[in-house]
Amino acid sequence: MAIVTTIRRDAVTLPAAELGPDNPLPPLRPLDEMHRIDDRDRDDLPRDMARQIGYEPLRSLLPARVRDGYGRERAPRELDALVIENDRLRATVLPGLGGRVASLFHKPTGRELLYRNPVFQPACFALNGAWFSGGIEWNIGATGHTTLSCSPLHAARVTAPDGGEMLRLWEWERLRDLPFQVDLWLPEGSDFLYVGVRIRNPHDRPAPLYWWSNIAVPEECRVLAPAEEAYHFGYERRLRRVPVPSYDGVDRTYPAHSVHPADYFYEVPDGRRRWIAALGEDGEGLVQTSTDVLRGRKLFVWGTGTGGRRWQRWLTEPGTGGYCEIQAGLARTQLEHVRLEAESEVAWLEAYGPLSAEREGEWAGVVRAAEERLEACLPRERVEAAYAAWRPCADTEPGEVLAVGSGWGALEVLRTGDKLPGTPFEEATLGDAQAPWLELLRSGSLPEPRRVGPPGGTLVAPHWRDMLETAPARPLTEYHLGVAQWHAGDRAQAVRSWERALPLAPSQWPLLRCLAVADQEAGHHERAADRYAEAFDDLCRERRDDGETWTSVTAALGREALDALLAVGRTEDARSVWYRLHPVTRERGRFRLTEARLLLAEGDREAARAVFDDGFEVADLREGAGTIDELWARITDEPLPAHYDFRMRPAT
C-alpha cells in the first residue's frame, strides 16, 4: 500500500556562516551584473530575443538592500526545513532561504538527485549580494540570481489536486512588484515532484518578468537536452550561437570538458517537449520537464580552470565534489525579460524526478532514447493533465501556516485593497520596516525618526513616489523622494530633492552620500570625493556606539569613501577614513584588500605585498570581479597565488 504524502516540519543542521546585517545605504546602482552582452552581438540575434534583451534592464536594486554583511566563519546551525514525502521521494525545502529545495532523495534507489551542499556559505552572486549554491532555487525578478536567495518566504499547507497535501510558497517580489507562488506536491506513488508556478501582475501597467528554475547537480555527468544548437555566453560577455553537442572539437555536454565558466542556452525547437537531464557515468540522474510556457533550457559549467575550481571550493567544502547547473526559464536566455501584461498572470507546471538512460553515443540517438525513457516514466500528456488539475487549486486558500515571509505584500494589499486568491498577505505580517510607509499610506505624512540612525529603506514604485511628492516636505521625506526619483531616472530632480533637504536635516551624511553617487555618475569625481569625505566626517560625529547598526553603516560608507578618494589620488584623506573605521571592520577581508590598495597608492609596495602574504579572504567578492588579480599585477610580476585566483574569463 502506498504511503500517503505528508508535509512535516524539520530542521537541517549545517556548518553555516551568519548572514549578518544588510548594507544600510540605498543601492543607487546595480552591483556589477554579468548578464549583459556586447552590443556587437545584438544584430545577429533573432528579433524577439534582441527585443527582450533590451526590455527594461535593471537600473538599480531599489527597493531591495545589498546583503554584504556575511563572513566565512561557519559554525553548526539549525535551518528550518519543510519535508514533503511519499513512498518514492523526499523533498527538503528551506522556507527561510528563498524556498530552496535543498534535497530531492529517491528512496527506491537510495540516490540524492541534486547536488546537496554540505555547508551554508553565502557569496556575492545574487543581484543584491548574498547567495548560496546547491539544490533547486526559484529565480524571479531580473537577469541574475534573485534578491530573495537568502530571504524567507511565506509557506503553508494547501489541498493538492489529488486531495492530498501540497506545500505552497509565496512572496511579493519587490524589484518588479509582482506576487508569485510555488506549489509543490507529490502524488501518491509518484517518482516525480510536481511544481506549479504562478506569477501575477496586479497593476494597471505591463511589467518586465524574469524566471529561471536553477538546479544544481553533481558535475560528473553528461547533460542532455533536445537541441542541436545553443547560445554560448561566457564571462567575456559575448553571446554566440554554437552547435550541440560539440564545438571547437570538444563535446561541451560533459561539464568536465570545458575549461572556463560558461552558459549554454539550448535552442529547443518549437513543438518539441521541454526537458533537460543530467546523467552520471552509470546513466542514472535527474530530469526536469515542464509545460511549454517554460521554454528555455540551460547548462552552466564552472570549468576545469583554476578560477572555476577556486569558486567551487569557495562555495562549499574542499573535497566534497563539484557541481554544475541545469536550468529552465521563460525566455531563451537569462539575458532577457519577457512582458507580463497589466492585470494578467502566467503559470506553468514543472516536474523533477529520476531518469535512467544511456548517455554515451551519437547525440541525436542518445537524446531520442532519453526522451523515450522520459515519456515512458512521465508521459507529456500526464504533465499537461497535472497542470490542468492544479490550475483551479492555485486559488485555494492556504491552511496551516508553516513559515512567514516579509510584510511588503501585506502593505501592497492594504494600499490597493486587492485580494489575491491563494496568496494571502496578512496584515499581521507587517513589521517595523513597513511601519513608516503604513503611516504615509494612512496619514499622507512620513514620520520623522524618533532617534538618530541610518534611514530605513525607500519604496520607489510610482504610487509610493506620488505619495512622497505630496507629503509634507520634511528632510527625511525629501531624502526618500530623491531616492525614488533617482530610481525613476529623474536624476536632476533627485539631486534637487537631496540638496533641498540638506539645510534642515539633522543627519547630513545620507544626503551627502547620495549626492556623491550622483556626482560620480555625472563624471564629477573630485566633487564626489569631497562629498564622500564630508559625509564620512558627519557620520563619525553622529554615530552613537560600536553596535551592529553603526559599525555596519560606518563600514559601508567608509568603503565607498575610500574608493572615491583613491580614485582621485587623495591618499591622505583616504588614510584618514581608514583610521576611523572600527577595528573589527579593518580586519575584514574586503578592507584588507583596500588597505593593500591604499598602501600601494602611498608608494609602499612592500607593505602592500605583505598584506597578500599575510592572507585574507574577501567574503563578498563579486562573481566575475577582477579586483584581486588586478591589484596583484600592480604589486608584482609574480604569478597570482592559487588561493587568490578567482578569474572566470579566458586570458586575452
Side-chain angles (χ1 to χ4, degrees):
M1 178 178 171
I3 298 175
V4 175
T5 300
T6 61
I7 299 174
R8 58 183 168 85
R9 286 189 172 92
D10 204 345
V12 175
T13 301
L14 294 175
E18 293 291 339
L19 274 170
D22 289 354
N23 189 314
L25 304 180
L28 301 178
R29 293 172 289 207
L31 299 181
D32 184 26
E33 175 48 44
M34 298 309 302
H35 295 93
R36 293 184 284 109
I37 68 169
D38 192 302
D39 287 339
R40 292 173 292 176
D41 295 333
R42 291 178 186 262
D43 293 341
D44 297 327
L45 299 177
R47 291 179 63 185
D48 63 331
M49 184 189 294
R51 182 177 65 252
Q52 290 178 170
I53 286 175
Y55 176 49
E56 293 289 343
L58 200 64
R59 293 189 296 269
S60 79
L61 294 174
L62 293 163
R65 286 289 180 92
V66 172
R67 311 198 75 171
D68 59 4
Y70 52 87
R72 292 193 55 79
E73 292 185 6
R74 297 192 287 262
R77 183 156 64 101
E78 275 196 359
L79 304 176
D80 290 337
L82 299 170
V83 177
I84 316 168
E85 189 168 13
N86 67 2
D87 59 337
R88 311 288 293 178
L89 279 177
R90 181 170 63 245
T92 303
V93 179
L94 306 179
L97 294 170
R100 184 77 59 97
V101 180
S103 169
L104 188 61
F105 184 77
H106 188 235
K107 297 179 182 181
T109 58
R111 297 177 71 102
E112 173 61 57
L113 299 180
L114 304 173
Y115 170 75
R116 184 172 187 172
N117 199 332
V119 303
F120 172 69
Q121 178 56 64
C124 194
F125 279 73
L127 288 164
N128 62 335
W131 174 86
F132 66 106
S133 64
I136 306 171
E137 62 173 315
W138 318 112
N139 286 302
I140 181 174
T143 53
H145 291 284
T146 177
T147 61
L148 296 169
S149 292
C150 295
S151 296
L153 303 188
H154 300 282
R157 297 180 198 270
V158 185
T159 302
D162 60 0
E165 288 193 319
M166 180 164 67
L167 174 62
R168 175 161 299 159
L169 307 169
W170 73 98
E171 190 43 283
W172 196 282
E173 200 287 312
R174 301 180 68 209
L175 291 183
R176 303 305 195 182
D177 245 355
L178 301 176
F180 72 98
Q181 71 189 78
V182 179
D183 289 352
L184 304 97
W185 79 100
L186 285 168
E188 289 186 24
S190 174
D191 281 309
F192 284 83
L193 173 68
Y194 287 176
V195 181
V197 182
R198 176 169 64 167
I199 306 168
R200 288 185 274 201
N201 179 5
H203 308 296
D204 60 1
R205 62 187 185 278
L209 178 60
Y210 175 90
W211 182 281
W212 281 79
S213 301
N214 184 359
I215 310 131
V217 293
E219 69 179 349
E220 294 299 324
C221 68
R222 190 183 195 190
V223 173
L224 307 181
E228 301 291 336
E229 292 183 305
Y231 287 93
H232 171 272
F233 182 70
Y235 283 79
E236 65 276 19
R237 293 177 173 168
R238 299 300 304 272
L239 184 67
R240 62 182 185 274
R241 201 161 181 150
V242 299
V244 174
S246 299
Y247 82 93
D248 287 347
V250 177
D251 188 332
R252 307 289 174 165
T253 62
Y254 295 87
H257 289 181
S258 291
V259 176
H260 301 289
D263 297 327
Y264 297 90
F265 299 105
Y266 294 116
E267 184 72 292
V268 179
D270 290 342
R272 192 77 181 266
R273 185 173 186 179
R274 309 283 165 172
W275 63 275
I276 189 168
L279 303 181
E281 190 173 353
D282 58 0
E284 304 284 339
L286 174 131
V287 64
Q288 186 272 358
T289 187
S290 71
T291 49
D292 289 351
V293 167
L294 205 64
R295 69 172 296 181
R297 293 297 185 275
K298 170 194 161 181
L299 164 65
F300 167 74
V301 298
W302 280 110
T304 58
T306 55
R309 306 328 293 171
R310 183 71 182 103
W311 274 115
Q312 291 261 28
R313 294 191 297 274
W314 189 252
L315 293 166
T316 182
E317 284 284 3
T320 56
Y323 75 96
C324 62
E325 294 169 357
I326 58 174
Q327 304 188 23
L330 284 173
R332 281 189 179 96
T333 74
Q334 288 176 326
L335 311 171
E336 304 167 66
H337 299 111
V338 300
R339 180 183 174 100
L340 184 58
E341 296 297 339
E343 300 176 345
S344 70
E345 63 182 48
V346 63
W348 64 90
L349 185 89
E350 304 181 46
Y352 297 81
L355 183 69
S356 177
E358 177 58 56
R359 73 173 200 176
E360 309 297 341
E362 182 265 334
W363 176 250
V366 167
V367 169
R368 183 171 56 253
E371 192 163 337
E372 289 171 356
R373 289 287 300 147
L374 172 60
E375 186 66 18
C377 299
L378 184 67
R380 189 175 187 179
E381 289 78 7
R382 189 184 302 169
V383 174
E384 297 289 346
Y387 171 73
W390 165 72
R391 283 298 278 132
C393 299
D395 282 344
T396 301
E397 290 304 313
E400 179 191 1
V401 173
L402 300 171
V404 178
S406 78
W408 296 113
L411 183 66
E412 290 300 327
V413 168
L414 280 175
R415 182 188 65 81
T416 63
D418 292 340
K419 297 296 183 184
L420 296 169
T423 54
F425 293 96
E426 303 291 352
E427 195 167 344
T429 62
L430 292 167
D432 291 344
Q434 293 82 38
W437 301 96
L438 183 60
E439 178 66 23
L440 175 64
L441 178 65
R442 288 176 168 168
S443 72
S445 178
L446 195 70
E448 287 292 302
R450 296 178 181 176
R451 60 182 182 272
V452 173
T458 305
L459 295 183
V460 296
H463 38 268
W464 292 106
R465 188 173 72 248
D466 291 344
M467 281 186 253
L468 288 168
E469 286 176 346
T470 57
R474 295 194 285 257
L476 185 62
T477 302
E478 294 281 28
Y479 162 81
H480 285 299
L481 175 58
V483 174
Q485 290 165 332
W486 179 273
H487 175 75
D490 192 351
R491 296 188 170 186
Q493 191 58 54
V495 167
R496 284 192 287 271
S497 295
W498 294 325
E499 289 177 339
R500 199 163 50 236
L502 268 176
L504 299 176
S507 297
Q508 293 196 328
W509 64 263
L511 297 158
L512 289 167
R513 182 264 176 178
C514 290
L515 290 167
V517 173
D519 283 335
Q520 286 180 323
E521 291 295 292
H524 304 308
H525 297 290
E526 282 287 354
R527 192 166 69 191
D530 288 339
R531 279 179 159 154
Y532 266 121
E534 188 180 353
F536 195 76
D537 289 346
D538 186 65
L539 171 63
C540 290
R541 287 191 295 267
E542 180 178 291
R543 69 187 186 195
R544 297 293 186 263
D545 53 51
D546 290 339
E548 182 179 81
T549 297
W550 290 104
T551 300
S552 176
V553 73
T554 303
L557 184 59
R559 174 176 167 179
E560 291 187 11
L562 284 162
D563 287 344
L565 291 163
L566 287 173
V568 296
R570 289 168 55 174
T571 55
E572 191 173 326
D573 290 335
R575 179 60 71 180
S576 174
V577 170
W578 174 262
Y579 283 139
R580 286 176 289 168
L581 295 171
H582 292 91
V584 68
T585 299
R586 292 200 296 265
E587 290 304 311
R588 288 169 55 184
R590 166 63 60 184
F591 288 87
R592 293 283 287 153
L593 179 63
T594 299
E595 182 184 20
R597 286 178 58 207
L598 179 55
L599 288 164
L600 185 62
E602 291 170 333
D604 196 340
R605 188 180 303 272
E606 186 175 326
R609 169 63 186 264
V611 172
F612 277 84
D613 292 342
D614 289 345
F616 59 84
E617 290 186 324
V618 182
D620 63 330
L621 185 68
R622 186 65 174 165
E623 171 192 13
T627 48
I628 293 179
D629 52 282
E630 289 165 6
L631 182 59
W632 175 264
R634 291 171 56 202
I635 293 172
T636 178
D637 292 331
E638 296 176 24
L640 181 68
H643 58 284
Y644 292 128
D645 191 351
F646 293 89
R647 291 173 292 189
M648 299 178 75
R649 52 176 66 88
T652 55

